[in-house]
Amino acid sequence: MPWIKNLTTNNRLELESLASGSAQLQDTVLIGIGAVGREVLSQIAEALNARFGVQWPPNVRLLQIDIQMLGEKLEPPRALGLGQFVALAPDFQKIEQSLNDSDWPVHWEWYRRAAPDFGRARGRLALFHDLRDGRSGSKLWGALERVFQELPAPTTRVFSAAFDDAGSGMLVDLIHLIQLAATRYVPVQLWLAAAFTRDWPGRLAEHNRPLRPDEQRERMLATLSELERFQRNERVELNYVPPNHPQSQLRQTREQALIETLFLFEMRDRATPEGDVLAAMADGALALLIPTAHQLLTDTLNRRRSDTTARIMKEGQGFVCALGSCALRIPSGALTRALAARMVRDSLFELGIGLLPMEQCDLRTGKYRQLEEDVELEKF
């Protein structure tokens, strides 16, 4: 990407040099959905904890959304607290019975055909079930209101897998609900992991059976095809409550594109571990907390968007934006101190080069055993 080449040596993309105040970080809300979201947010939270401790900058906020099956008890992802986690708990048996008994049998026929083989339908129904009584009884609505509170214009990124039932089923609705709960326009970027080459969780039907790579690819293509519809300015009805419900904001018609920016993170090749893809997503999000990096990316996207929009409108062409990612493995402050301590220890006590060895090799096993530290230190 050109904006990476334009970075000078003065724009170091690292958290180590930042103070704990919020003025030096971009206003950002990071939302995870499903297994991919859990892992990405956990890595981000661990990096923030390592730098700032428990007192994060108040303008950087995380929220993980999961779907909890009947009889299941989900805990928050590691490094996240209860206030950063919401678990929707739909009763799919009751939902199916309600659809079956409704005055609109076409709804049940659609669900009956779609859900057994394509659980994305269940992902969206979990969101509708959470909003069935409007805002007051909704776990998701309350969590969205809290995470956007007192942030005037945060950049929002949603992390999920493109093939995950929970994530791909509710992405479009979640973007719309973010605008409603924030009570203002909020730019939302989708950061989606493409299909992996090994089995991965993400199935709501037969919850304990992972998705095979071929199933992941099929579901990813279906998800991307549906998301493409919402990148166009078309009339879309988004209704979550009955017509006579007093909360009319949960019944709206949109005529502008819901999805503005989507990044798809793919494996470099079949040998690439899934962890590298998730680490690239987390590292990219952390780097873009730096306002200069965020602005460089925004400027680049704006320049390209004007050209692509003209071609889409005039020529009917479609475009895919690929975000390149490179991970720079440089020691953080904690790791630097640990390496320095190890170098000092080896210089003094390592068997081969140390001034005063504290370990002795057992020639029979090839393993090292500790010598008496007090005695050796006394000699030193």
Side-chain angles (χ1 to χ4, degrees), residues 58-102:
N59 63 334
V60 178
R61 302 179 186 178
L62 275 59
L63 175 65
Q64 170 64 22
I65 303 170
D66 278 314
I67 296 178
Q68 184 172 274
M69 304 302 291
L70 200 62
E72 187 179 31
K73 178 63 175 177
L74 289 178
E75 298 295 333
R78 68 181 190 278
L80 270 70
L82 289 174
Q84 299 168 308
F85 170 68
V86 59
L88 309 184
D91 187 335
F92 287 115
Q93 290 184 347
K94 288 185 177 179
I95 293 174
E96 292 170 5
Q97 186 61 46
S98 175
L99 287 171
N100 194 27
D101 295 340
S102 70

Coordinates of all heavy atoms in Angstrom, one line a residue, residues 58-102:
P58 N -9.7 6.1 27.8 CA -11.1 6.0 27.8 C -11.7 6.1 26.4 O -12.9 5.7 26.3 CB -11.6 7.1 28.7 CG -10.5 8.1 28.7 CD -9.2 7.4 28.5
N59 N -11.0 6.5 25.4 CA -11.6 6.6 24.1 C -11.3 5.4 23.2 O -11.5 5.5 22.0 CB -11.1 7.9 23.4 CG -9.5 7.9 23.2 OD1 -8.8 7.2 23.9 ND2 -9.1 8.6 22.2
V60 N -10.8 4.3 23.8 CA -10.6 3.1 23.1 C -11.4 2.0 23.8 O -11.2 1.7 25.0 CB -9.1 2.6 23.1 CG1 -8.9 1.3 22.4 CG2 -8.2 3.7 22.4
R61 N -12.4 1.5 23.1 CA -13.4 0.6 23.7 C -13.6 -0.7 22.9 O -13.6 -0.7 21.7 CB -14.7 1.3 23.9 CG -14.6 2.6 24.7 CD -15.8 3.4 24.9 NE -15.6 4.7 25.5 CZ -16.5 5.5 25.8 NH1 -17.8 5.3 25.4 NH2 -16.2 6.7 26.4
L62 N -13.8 -1.8 23.6 CA -13.9 -3.1 23.0 C -15.2 -3.7 23.4 O -15.7 -3.5 24.6 CB -12.8 -4.0 23.5 CG -11.5 -4.0 22.7 CD1 -10.8 -2.6 22.7 CD2 -10.5 -5.0 23.2
L63 N -15.8 -4.5 22.5 CA -17.1 -5.2 22.8 C -17.1 -6.5 22.0 O -17.0 -6.5 20.8 CB -18.3 -4.3 22.5 CG -19.7 -5.0 22.6 CD1 -20.0 -5.3 24.1 CD2 -20.8 -4.2 22.0
Q64 N -17.3 -7.6 22.7 CA -17.4 -8.9 22.1 C -18.8 -9.4 22.1 O -19.5 -9.3 23.2 CB -16.5 -9.9 22.8 CG -16.7 -11.4 22.3 CD -16.4 -11.6 20.9 OE1 -15.6 -10.9 20.3 NE2 -16.9 -12.7 20.3
I65 N -19.4 -9.8 21.0 CA -20.7 -10.3 20.8 C -20.7 -11.8 20.5 O -20.0 -12.2 19.5 CB -21.5 -9.6 19.8 CG1 -21.5 -8.1 20.1 CG2 -22.9 -10.1 19.7 CD1 -22.1 -7.2 18.9
D66 N -21.3 -12.6 21.3 CA -21.4 -14.1 21.0 C -22.9 -14.5 21.1 O -23.7 -13.8 21.6 CB -20.6 -14.9 22.1 CG -19.1 -14.9 21.7 OD1 -18.8 -15.2 20.5 OD2 -18.3 -14.7 22.6
I67 N -23.1 -15.7 20.5 CA -24.4 -16.4 20.6 C -24.3 -17.6 21.5 O -23.5 -18.5 21.2 CB -25.0 -16.7 19.3 CG1 -25.2 -15.5 18.4 CG2 -26.3 -17.5 19.4 CD1 -25.7 -15.7 17.0
Q68 N -25.0 -17.6 22.6 CA -24.9 -18.7 23.6 C -26.0 -19.7 23.4 O -27.2 -19.3 23.4 CB -25.0 -18.1 25.0 CG -24.8 -19.0 26.1 CD -24.7 -18.3 27.4 OE1 -23.7 -17.8 27.9 NE2 -25.9 -18.1 28.1
M69 N -25.7 -20.9 23.1 CA -26.7 -21.9 22.8 C -27.3 -22.4 24.1 O -26.8 -22.2 25.2 CB -26.1 -23.1 22.1 CG -25.4 -22.7 20.8 SD -26.4 -21.9 19.6 CE -27.5 -23.3 19.2
L70 N -28.5 -23.0 24.0 CA -29.2 -23.5 25.2 C -28.4 -24.4 26.0 O -27.8 -25.4 25.5 CB -30.5 -24.1 24.7 CG -31.7 -24.2 25.8 CD1 -32.1 -22.9 26.2 CD2 -32.8 -25.0 25.2
G71 N -28.3 -24.2 27.3 CA -27.5 -25.0 28.2 C -26.0 -24.7 28.2 O -25.2 -25.3 28.9
E72 N -25.6 -23.7 27.4 CA -24.2 -23.3 27.4 C -24.0 -22.0 28.2 O -24.9 -21.2 28.4 CB -23.8 -23.0 25.9 CG -22.4 -22.7 25.7 CD -22.1 -22.5 24.2 OE1 -23.0 -21.9 23.5 OE2 -21.0 -22.8 23.7
K73 N -22.8 -21.9 28.8 CA -22.4 -20.8 29.6 C -21.1 -20.2 29.1 O -20.0 -20.8 29.3 CB -22.3 -21.1 31.1 CG -21.8 -20.0 32.0 CD -22.9 -18.9 32.0 CE -22.5 -17.8 33.0 NZ -23.4 -16.6 33.0
L74 N -21.2 -19.1 28.3 CA -20.0 -18.5 27.8 C -19.4 -17.5 28.7 O -20.1 -16.7 29.4 CB -20.3 -17.8 26.4 CG -20.6 -18.7 25.2 CD1 -21.0 -17.9 24.0 CD2 -19.5 -19.7 24.9
E75 N -18.1 -17.5 28.8 CA -17.4 -16.5 29.6 C -16.8 -15.4 28.7 O -16.6 -15.7 27.5 CB -16.2 -17.2 30.4 CG -16.7 -18.2 31.4 CD -17.6 -17.6 32.5 OE1 -17.4 -16.4 32.8 OE2 -18.4 -18.4 33.1
P76 N -16.5 -14.3 29.2 CA -15.8 -13.2 28.4 C -14.5 -13.7 27.8 O -13.8 -14.6 28.5 CB -15.6 -12.1 29.4 CG -16.6 -12.3 30.5 CD -16.7 -13.8 30.6
P77 N -14.1 -13.3 26.7 CA -12.8 -13.6 26.2 C -11.7 -13.2 27.1 O -11.9 -12.3 28.0 CB -12.7 -12.8 24.9 CG -14.1 -12.5 24.5 CD -14.8 -12.3 25.8
R78 N -10.5 -13.9 27.0 CA -9.4 -13.5 28.0 C -9.0 -12.1 27.8 O -9.1 -11.5 26.7 CB -8.2 -14.4 27.7 CG -7.5 -14.2 26.4 CD -6.3 -15.2 26.2 NE -5.5 -14.8 25.0 CZ -5.8 -15.2 23.8 NH1 -6.9 -15.9 23.6 NH2 -5.1 -14.8 22.8
A79 N -8.7 -11.5 28.9 CA -8.3 -10.1 29.0 C -9.4 -9.1 28.8 O -9.2 -7.9 28.9 CB -7.2 -9.7 27.9
L80 N -10.7 -9.5 28.6 CA -11.8 -8.6 28.6 C -12.7 -8.8 29.8 O -12.7 -9.9 30.4 CB -12.7 -8.9 27.3 CG -12.3 -8.1 26.1 CD1 -11.0 -8.5 25.5 CD2 -13.4 -8.2 25.0
G81 N -13.3 -7.8 30.3 CA -14.2 -7.8 31.4 C -15.6 -8.1 31.1 O -16.0 -8.1 29.9
L82 N -16.5 -8.2 32.1 CA -17.9 -8.5 31.8 C -18.6 -7.3 31.1 O -19.4 -7.6 30.3 CB -18.6 -8.7 33.2 CG -18.3 -10.0 33.9 CD1 -18.9 -10.0 35.3 CD2 -18.8 -11.2 33.1
G83 N -18.1 -6.1 31.3 CA -18.7 -5.0 30.7 C -18.4 -4.9 29.2 O -18.9 -4.0 28.5
Q84 N -17.4 -5.7 28.8 CA -17.0 -5.7 27.4 C -17.5 -6.9 26.6 O -16.9 -7.2 25.5 CB -15.4 -5.6 27.3 CG -14.8 -4.4 28.0 CD -13.3 -4.5 28.1 OE1 -12.8 -5.5 28.7 NE2 -12.6 -3.5 27.6
F85 N -18.5 -7.5 27.1 CA -18.9 -8.8 26.6 C -20.5 -8.9 26.7 O -21.0 -8.6 27.7 CB -18.3 -10.0 27.3 CG -18.8 -11.3 27.0 CD1 -18.6 -11.9 25.8 CD2 -19.5 -12.1 28.0 CE1 -19.1 -13.2 25.5 CE2 -19.9 -13.3 27.7 CZ -19.8 -13.9 26.5
V86 N -21.1 -9.4 25.6 CA -22.5 -9.6 25.6 C -22.8 -11.0 24.9 O -22.2 -11.2 23.8 CB -23.3 -8.5 25.0 CG1 -22.9 -8.3 23.5 CG2 -24.8 -8.8 25.0
A87 N -23.6 -11.8 25.6 CA -23.9 -13.1 25.0 C -25.4 -13.2 24.7 O -26.2 -13.2 25.7 CB -23.5 -14.3 25.9
L88 N -25.8 -13.2 23.5 CA -27.2 -13.4 23.1 C -27.6 -14.8 23.4 O -26.8 -15.7 23.1 CB -27.4 -13.0 21.6 CG -26.9 -11.7 21.2 CD1 -27.3 -11.4 19.7 CD2 -27.4 -10.5 22.1
A89 N -28.8 -15.0 23.9 CA -29.2 -16.4 24.3 C -30.5 -16.7 23.8 O -31.5 -16.8 24.5 CB -29.2 -16.5 25.9
P90 N -30.6 -17.0 22.5 CA -31.9 -17.3 21.8 C -32.3 -18.7 22.1 O -31.5 -19.6 22.2 CB -31.7 -17.1 20.4 CG -30.2 -17.4 20.2 CD -29.6 -16.9 21.5
D91 N -33.6 -19.0 22.2 CA -34.2 -20.3 22.3 C -34.7 -20.6 20.9 O -35.8 -20.3 20.5 CB -35.3 -20.4 23.3 CG -35.8 -21.8 23.5 OD1 -35.6 -22.7 22.6 OD2 -36.3 -22.1 24.6
F92 N -33.9 -21.3 20.1 CA -34.2 -21.5 18.7 C -35.4 -22.4 18.5 O -36.2 -22.3 17.6 CB -33.0 -22.1 17.9 CG -31.9 -21.1 17.7 CD1 -30.7 -21.3 18.2 CD2 -32.2 -20.0 16.8 CE1 -29.7 -20.3 18.0 CE2 -31.2 -19.1 16.6 CZ -29.9 -19.3 17.2
Q93 N -35.7 -23.3 19.5 CA -36.9 -24.2 19.4 C -38.1 -23.3 19.5 O -39.1 -23.5 18.8 CB -36.8 -25.2 20.5 CG -35.8 -26.3 20.3 CD -35.8 -27.4 21.4 OE1 -36.5 -27.2 22.4 NE2 -35.1 -28.5 21.2
K94 N -38.1 -22.4 20.4 CA -39.3 -21.5 20.6 C -39.4 -20.6 19.3 O -40.5 -20.3 18.9 CB -39.2 -20.6 21.8 CG -39.4 -21.4 23.1 CD -39.4 -20.5 24.3 CE -39.6 -21.3 25.6 NZ -39.6 -20.4 26.8
I95 N -38.3 -20.1 18.8 CA -38.4 -19.3 17.6 C -39.0 -20.1 16.5 O -39.8 -19.6 15.7 CB -36.9 -18.8 17.3 CG1 -36.4 -17.8 18.3 CG2 -36.9 -18.1 15.9 CD1 -35.0 -17.4 18.1
E96 N -38.5 -21.3 16.3 CA -39.0 -22.1 15.2 C -40.5 -22.4 15.3 O -41.3 -22.3 14.4 CB -38.2 -23.4 15.1 CG -36.8 -23.2 14.6 CD -36.0 -24.4 14.8 OE1 -36.5 -25.5 15.1 OE2 -34.7 -24.3 14.5
Q97 N -40.9 -22.6 16.6 CA -42.3 -22.9 16.9 C -43.2 -21.7 16.6 O -44.3 -21.7 16.0 CB -42.5 -23.4 18.3 CG -44.0 -23.8 18.6 CD -44.4 -25.0 17.8 OE1 -43.6 -26.0 17.7 NE2 -45.6 -24.9 17.3
S98 N -42.6 -20.5 17.0 CA -43.4 -19.2 16.8 C -43.5 -19.0 15.3 O -44.6 -18.6 14.8 CB -42.6 -18.1 17.4 OG -43.2 -16.9 17.1
L99 N -42.5 -19.2 14.5 CA -42.6 -19.1 13.0 C -43.6 -20.0 12.4 O -44.3 -19.7 11.5 CB -41.2 -19.3 12.4 CG -40.2 -18.2 12.6 CD1 -38.8 -18.6 12.1 CD2 -40.6 -16.9 11.9
N100 N -43.6 -21.2 13.0 CA -44.5 -22.3 12.4 C -45.9 -21.9 12.7 O -46.8 -22.2 11.9 CB -44.1 -23.6 13.1 CG -44.8 -24.8 12.3 OD1 -45.1 -24.7 11.1 ND2 -45.0 -25.9 13.0
D101 N -46.2 -21.2 13.9 CA -47.5 -20.9 14.3 C -48.0 -19.5 13.8 O -49.1 -19.1 14.0 CB -47.7 -20.9 15.8 CG -47.4 -22.3 16.4 OD1 -47.6 -23.3 15.6 OD2 -47.1 -22.4 17.6
S102 N -47.1 -18.8 13.1 CA -47.4 -17.4 12.7 C -48.5 -17.4 11.5 O -48.7 -18.4 10.9 CB -46.2 -16.7 12.2 OG -45.7 -17.2 11.0

